[in-house]
Structures are given as structure tokens and as C-alpha cells.
């Protein structure tokens, strides 16, 4: 067969991006696959809308479920979105019919990847999702293929462009979170409902998929620790800078003696490290593995072109007949493994405390930390204006989350503490 017939469900940013790329780089795609890749069918909600690409000669399906079983479709591209509903149905129907599926849908894979993977395997179909993680950065292929022989030690990533844009914009312009978010929405960098992005959920979906490929665990959201960036203030970013750190939303996964650790939260990261220098809407992934050592990938995590680049890489694998295990290990061994509890996480911490401006406050606080067996690394009391609450900013040596939480509870009860203490974890590498 010299043709691969593609059905695209969802003609939004990514769907149209794929059509555009297929037409722009048709000769390259043909030379590299030996096949003509043609779009034979599409489905979207609104048939009348001009999408800026020609749909001449392409079958239109009002119902994407019909596209999923159409005789003239070899590969189904699910580019609708959402963890459930029509996107999931389209994938299930297509895989059930033995058709290969490519999706950019991280929510779907993070929640239902294991079941869909099983369905694909049982029906001898491919399920590929390079575009679901970090847009144009080939992180899935890197983990699944490039590093197939390695023992993965840890993966840390900046996986949400909206959050990274907001944090770097706060840093550059000295404005607060709400202000920058509003501007990001006006510019189209943030959704009208930004909660999935700024709440860390979108990035956590990607981390769940990364952990699956890195450690052979199912991609699940269960027990994945998520904290968003809403509570990070301009003050924190400034104090962090003074201490030599950038503030970024970072997802971390690694094996520990208590199980696989998976956490997504704002971090202070040394500004001289590669992750500390990722700015604006860019994404990045740092992988430590044996024997390859450290790999750092950075690029555009969203947008029509970069995302289409990853979707097409998957489609071209199918055209070439490449066959890879869906989550990097043969399916039968994708087994539940325990995930470590947040209590056991060991790291350093940044703490900002709003305190009463009177003698003995500093001593009271250090005493509480000492009682909790937490040792302070740096402690500063920045100058403040009369009438404003005084601030104490400190960083700790490595301790556990459990100890830190207990210390925060007792400190919060002290009369001299005026507001809920601000805690941000410090990442060293
Ligand atoms: N945008 C990015 O940069 C990016 C990056 C990485 C991954 N992704 C993922 O890619 C997927 C698509 O994202 P997107 O940004 O392209 O979204 P989008 O612009 O909102 O496009 C979604 C498309 O799905 C169509 N659709 C909605 N309900 C449908 C239904 N019931 N049947 C058929 N079509 C339906 C919409 O149709 P109408 O146009 O007719 O309303 C629209 O064309 C999501 O899973 C997203 O997470 C996106």
C-alpha cells in the first residue's frame, strides 16, 4: 500500500495545524515514509466555519464516531480534547475496530491510558500520544525509544506554558499573579477558565504520562500531588531572586524506597540551572538516567505548528510500520506500583512568614523549627514600611514534608504570625 488514509476528529488549533503541516511538508513526509499521507475524512461541530484549509474531496462526518469506523480511514487522529465524552468514545470505537489512533489529549491518556492501551493491544492497533506531553518536544519518544536501555533515575519538567509565562512575566514586570493572568487571557495565552492550567492539573496530566513511560506504572492521577501557582506572589519571586532562585511550576517523578514519587508544584530552582532559565511559554524536560546521564530538552509546549509536529511524527511512525509498546514496556507488565506519599518527600524549603514587628519573634520562630528538627539555612528579615506586617524569609536544609507540615501547624498557631505562612519547595537539580 502506498497510501495512508487519515481521519481527523476535531478541526481546532491542532487539527488544522496537522492539515497545514501535511500540505506544507508533503514532499518531506513522502520521502521519509515512502507513502502518500492523505486526509480522507474529518469531523468537527460546525461544518460551515472557514478554517483556512481546504476540505475539498474530504468526507465530512457530523458524528466523529462514524469517522472512527469509516472504511476509508486507516488512522484516526483524536484532536477534540477532554478526558471523557466524545474524545474517549472515538478512541474506543477506533481501537475496537482495529484502527490505529494518534491523540494529543493528555487528560484522556492520564485518566484512561491504561484501559485504552489494553484495548489497542488486544486489537493489534497502535495508540500514540507524543503531542500529549510538552507539545513539540519529543519527550515520549526520548523516554520510550531513545532511552529504552536506560534506568531512569528522575524526570523533572516545566510542562505548562501558561504557568511558565505567568511566572516569568511576574518576575520581569513586578506585577502580581491576578494582574498577569488577566493580561495572559487577553493575549490568548490563558484560557477563559484558567483553572486547569494555573491549578497545575494540565501539567500533572503530563507528569502522570511521563511517570508511566519512565517507570512502567499506569498513567493515573491517583495519589499525584498537585499544587498550582495561584498562591505565588511577586514578593516571593523577588525574595527568591535575591537568594539566587527562579520560581517555576515543576513536575518531578522518581523512584524512592517508598514508591514512585510524583509531584507537581511551584519550586524555587537555582537560577543558573537549565530549568531555572526556561522562560515565557517554553516547556522543558530534564531526564537523569543510567548510563546516559543528564538530558535536557527545551522547546515550545503548545501551538498549532509544534503540536502538529508531534502528531505527525506519530502518524509517520504508523506509516513506516514502526511498532513500539504503548507505555514503553510490554503491556502485560504494566502493573500497579505503589506511589510514595507526599509526607515522605525530602527537600529544602522556602518559607515566608508575615509576623508582628516586635522583639523575640525571630527567636520564637527558630525555636519552633528547632523543636521540629528542621535546621535553617538562611534567614532574612527584609526592611518593611511602618504599619505593614514584617516579613521573615527563610530557607531550610533538607527535611521531610511531614516534619515541615507539623512545624507549620504549630507556627501558624503562634500569636505573632499574622497570615498563613507561604511555603515553596526548593529543587536542587
Ligand atoms: N492547542 C495546543 O497548543 C495543544 C497542545 C498540545 C495538546 N493539545 C491537545 O490537543 C487537543 C485539541 O486541542 P485544540 O487546542 O486543537 O482544541 P480546540 O482548538 O478547541 O479544537 C477542538 C476541536 O474539536 C472539535 N469538537 C468539539 N466537540 C466535537 C465533537 N463532539 N465532535 C467533533 N468535533 C468536536 C471542535 O469543533 P468546532 O471547531 O467545530 O467547534 C474543535 O474544532 C486537546 O486534547 C488538547 O489538550 C493542544
Amino acid at each position: 500500500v502506498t497510501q495512508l488514509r487519515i481521519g481527523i476528529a476535531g478541526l481546532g488549533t491542532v487539527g488544522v495545524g496537522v492539515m497545514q503541516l501535511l500540505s506544507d511538508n508533503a514532499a518531506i513526509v513522502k520521502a521519509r515514509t515512502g507513502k502518500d499521507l492523505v486526509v480522507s475524512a474529518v469531523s468537527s461541530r460546525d461544518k460551515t466555519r472557514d478554517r483556512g484549509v481546504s476540505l475539498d474531496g474530504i468526507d465530512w462526518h457530523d458524528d466523529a464516531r462514524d469517522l472512527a469506523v469509516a472504511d476509508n480511514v486507516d488512522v484516526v487522529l483524536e484532536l477534540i480534547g477532554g478526558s471523557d465524552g466524545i474524545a474517549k468514545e472515538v478512541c474506543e470505537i477506533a481501537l475496537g475496530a482495529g484502527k490505529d489512533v494518534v491523540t494529543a489529549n493528555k487528560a484522556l491518556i492520564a485518566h484512561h491510558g491504561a484501559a485504552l492501551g489494553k484495548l489497542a493491544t488486544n486489537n493489534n492497533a497502535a495508540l500514540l500520544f507524543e503531542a500529549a506531553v510538552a507539545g513539540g518536544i519529543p519527550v515520549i519518544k526520548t523516554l520510550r525509544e531513545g532511552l529504552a536501555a536506560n534506568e531512569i533515575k528522575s524526570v523533572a519538567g516545566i510542562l505548562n506554558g501558561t504557568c511558565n509565562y505567568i511566572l516569568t512575566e511576574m518576575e520581569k514586570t513586578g506585577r502580581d499573579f491576578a494582574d498577569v493572568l488577566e493580561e495572559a487571557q487577553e493575549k490568548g495565552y490563558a484560557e477563559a477558565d484558567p483553572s486547569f492550567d494555573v491549578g497545575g492539573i494540565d501539567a500533572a496530566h503530563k507528569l502522570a504520562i511521563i511517570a508511566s513511560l519512565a517507570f512502567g506504572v499506569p498513567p493515573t492521577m491517583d495519589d499525584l500531588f498537585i499544587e498550582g501557582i495561584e498562591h505565588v506572589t511577586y514578593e516571593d519571586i523577588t525574595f527568591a531572586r535575591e537568594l539566587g532562585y527562579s520560581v517555576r511550576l515543576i513536575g518531578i517523578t522518581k523512584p524512592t524506597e517508598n514508591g514512585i514519587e510524583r509531584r507537581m508544584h511551584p519550586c524555587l530552582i537555582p537560577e543558573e540551572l537549565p530549568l531555572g532559565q526556561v522562560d515565557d511559554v517554553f516547556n522543558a524536560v530534564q531526564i537523569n538516567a543510567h548510563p546516559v546521564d543528564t538530558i535536557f530538552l527545551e522547546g515550545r509546549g503548545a501551538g498549532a505548528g509544534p503540536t502538529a509536529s508531534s502528531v505527525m511524527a506519530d502518524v509517520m511512525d504508523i506509516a513506516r510500520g514502526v511498532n513500539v509498546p504503548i507505555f514503553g514496556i510490554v503491556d502485560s507488565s504494566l502493573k500497579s506500583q505503589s506511589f510514595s506519599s507526599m509526607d515522605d518527600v525530602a527537600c529544602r524549603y522556602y518559607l515566608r512568614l508575615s509576623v508582628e514587628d516586635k522583639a523575640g519573634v525571630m527567636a520564637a520562630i527558630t525555636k519552633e523549627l528547632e523543636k521540629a528538627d528542621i535546621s535553617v539555612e538562611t534567614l532574612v528579615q527584609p526592611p518593611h514600611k511602618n504599619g505593614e506586617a514584617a516579613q521573615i524569609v527563610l530557607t531550610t536544609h533538607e527535611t521531610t514534608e511531614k516534619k515541615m507540615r507539623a512545624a507549620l501547624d504549630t507556627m501558624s498557631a503562634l500569636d505573632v504570625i499574622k497570615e498563613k505562612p507561604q511555603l515553596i519547595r526548593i529543587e536542587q537539580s
Side-chain angles (χ1 to χ4, degrees):
V1 193
T2 56
Q3 230 188 24
L4 185 79
R5 298 164 303 173
I6 301 166
I8 304 183
L11 286 179
T13 306
V14 183
V16 170
V18 168
M19 292 194 71
Q20 196 68 55
L21 177 55
L22 254 173
S23 121
D24 290 352
N25 288 1
I28 290 174
V29 170
K30 174 144 195 191
R32 291 179 182 167
T33 59
K35 291 192 178 160
D36 285 314
L37 274 59
V38 294
V39 179
S40 54
V42 293
S43 174
S44 233
R45 275 178 306 203
D46 182 356
K47 193 177 178 178
T48 60
R49 175 143 30 114
D50 178 6
R51 296 169 194 273
V53 287
S54 167
L55 300 178
D56 290 350
I58 299 174
D59 289 355
W60 176 279
H61 292 275
D62 285 324
D63 191 334
R65 290 168 293 200
D66 295 338
L67 175 147
V69 287
D71 284 341
N72 66 343
V73 169
D74 302 313
V75 184
V76 173
L77 273 47
E78 185 283 298
L79 304 172
I80 296 171
S83 63
D84 291 85
I86 185 78
K88 178 163 167 261
E89 265 186 82
V90 164
C91 292
E92 285 170 347
I93 292 169
L95 294 171
K99 291 190 196 289
D100 297 327
V101 169
V102 173
T103 178
N105 190 336
K106 48 256 173 177
L108 175 77
I109 298 298
H111 285 282
H112 305 295
L116 290 171
K118 204 169 276 173
L119 185 61
T121 306
N122 291 343
N123 289 284
N124 210 9
L127 172 64
L128 297 170
F129 43 84
E130 180 65 68
V133 178
I137 307 176
V139 58
I140 305 287
K141 279 177 182 294
T142 300
L143 285 166
R144 192 184 53 206
E145 284 135 77
L147 301 181
N150 282 260
E151 180 197 351
I152 309 293
K153 303 280 193 189
S154 69
V155 184
I158 292 177
L159 301 169
N160 184 277
T162 305
C163 287
N164 211 61
Y165 172 80
I166 291 173
L167 291 171
T168 46
E169 202 60 16
M170 285 168 73
E171 182 181 301
K172 278 189 223 159
T173 64
R175 285 179 300 154
D176 241 321
F177 172 78
D179 205 21
V180 176
L181 172 61
E182 204 182 301
E183 190 203 61
Q185 284 170 319
E186 280 162 17
K187 285 186 174 169
Y189 292 163
E191 305 277 340
D193 175 4
S195 52
F196 255 50
D197 287 323
V198 299
I201 299 157
D202 171 79
H205 287 149
K206 299 166 190 168
L207 183 67
I209 299 171
I210 286 176
S212 180
L213 286 148
F215 306 117
V217 294
T220 167
M221 297 303 285
D222 296 348
D223 302 318
L224 199 162
F225 178 82
I226 309 174
E227 189 182 285
I229 63 164
E230 306 98 322
H231 65 101
V232 175
T233 68
Y234 170 62
E235 277 174 309
D236 295 317
I237 291 178
T238 312
F239 292 141
R241 271 278 148 197
E242 282 166 16
L243 293 164
Y245 297 95
S246 310
V247 181
R248 297 287 183 267
L249 179 71
I250 296 181
I252 295 154
T253 181
K254 59 185 172 202
T256 72
E257 56 189 19
N258 303 307
I260 305 289
E261 192 170 295
R262 300 180 309 161
R263 50 194 171 100
M264 175 62 63
H265 51 71
C267 287
L268 263 64
I269 180 113
E271 61 191 355
E272 69 277 9
L273 293 184
L275 278 174
Q277 292 177 20
V278 176
D279 282 349
D280 301 320
V281 294
F282 283 87
N283 282 21
V285 177
Q286 178 172 307
I287 304 166
N288 290 303
H290 177 75
V292 75
D293 205 2
T294 302
I295 290 197
F296 188 77
L297 301 164
E298 180 175 3
R300 293 194 184 274
T307 311
S309 158
S310 285
V311 171
M312 280 306 298
D314 283 344
V315 175
M316 288 168 73
D317 270 354
I318 291 168
R320 288 163 159 171
V322 173
N323 189 0
V324 286
I326 294 167
F327 291 99
I329 56 171
V330 282
D331 212 30
S332 57
S333 59
L334 188 67
K335 55 182 182 288
S336 309
Q337 218 166 323
S338 64
F339 295 113
S340 68
S341 146
M342 200 57 197
D343 275 354
D344 296 324
V345 164
C347 66
R348 294 171 53 227
Y349 292 87
Y350 158 98
L351 265 187
R352 178 171 56 79
L353 305 160
S354 296
V355 297
E356 220 169 282
D357 191 11
K358 66 177 192 191
V361 172
M362 203 89 107
I365 286 164
T366 42
K367 196 169 125 210
E368 286 305 329
L369 288 168
E370 239 168 65
K371 270 201 282 182
D373 192 26
I374 295 170
S375 72
V376 172
E377 190 190 30
T378 59
L379 189 149
V380 284
Q381 183 158 29
H384 66 104
K385 295 191 194 110
N386 271 343
E388 280 181 6
Q391 307 268 346
I392 289 180
V393 174
L394 61 87
T395 60
T396 73
H397 285 291
E398 186 168 290
T399 183
T400 63
E401 183 89 5
K402 192 174 181 180
K403 284 184 184 174
M404 195 68 219
R405 289 266 161 222
L408 275 188
D409 284 347
T410 50
M411 275 197 286
S412 299
L414 295 177
D415 284 345
V416 292
I417 303 279
K418 292 287 150 212
E419 279 170 28
K420 188 170 173 266
Q422 171 73 303
L423 170 143
I424 306 179
R425 298 166 191 87
I426 301 176
E427 248 335 278
Q428 303 284 55
S429 55

